[in-house]
Every structure is written in structure tokens, then in C-alpha cells.
Amino acid sequence: MEPVRVRTLTDQEGRRLQQIVRRGSTSSVRYHHAITLLASAGGNRVPVIAQRVAADEGIVRDLVHRFNEIGLVCPDPKTVS
């Protein structure tokens, strides 16, 4: 089975995720989503990312899949059910 990871980020997506992480965010969910997506883009596997962000592996996988489907709308906590 192929490891789950984000697709190649566009320059704009990479900049936006970095901006969320560097400046922080009023939403801790948005911040953790950005960290998760950047970690995946950097080649980290789901178990490593889940441990680093203290999240369930299934949640990390779902986030990565959702990002791959809809892009940067994903880190907005309003879109996560």
C-alpha cells in the first residue's frame, strides 16, 4: 500500500501554510492542520506526523486526503466535520 501524503504543494499553498505556522493563527486547529500538511509535504509518514502533532493517525490521513481533494480550504476548521 502506498503511503498517504499530500500532493505537491503549489507555491501559493506552501507560502500560505508557512504563513499560518510562522504567524500563528487565532485557531489552534488551523495551525495544527498547517503543521500536519507541511510535515506530509516534507516527506514525513502518517505515524510520525500523528505522534508529532498528538493526533490520531486516522485524523491525519483524513486531513491529507481532504487536502488532496479540495486544497487549502481544508485547513479552515469550519470545513472539518
Side-chain angles (χ1 to χ4, degrees):
M1 182 179 351
E2 280 279 318
V4 175
R5 60 177 49 130
V6 297
R7 61 174 166 66
T8 302
L9 300 175
T10 65
D11 288 342
Q12 181 181 7
E13 290 169 336
R15 281 192 304 270
R16 180 67 183 127
L17 291 170
Q18 286 287 345
Q19 182 181 46
I20 291 168
V21 171
R22 284 189 191 129
R23 293 184 182 169
S25 174
T26 56
S27 166
S28 64
V29 173
R30 182 183 300 253
Y31 176 82
H32 282 94
H33 285 187
I35 294 251
T36 299
L37 295 171
L38 287 170
S40 181
N44 292 288
R45 292 179 172 237
V46 168
V48 172
I49 297 168
Q51 185 176 23
R52 287 183 182 169
V53 297
D56 181 78
E57 289 182 23
I59 291 172
V60 172
R61 281 188 188 88
D62 289 347
L63 177 63
V64 170
H65 284 303
R66 181 169 269 200
F67 174 81
N68 287 341
E69 292 172 10
I70 63 175
L72 272 181
V73 174
C74 182
D76 189 337
K78 290 180 263 180
T79 66
V80 177
S81 51

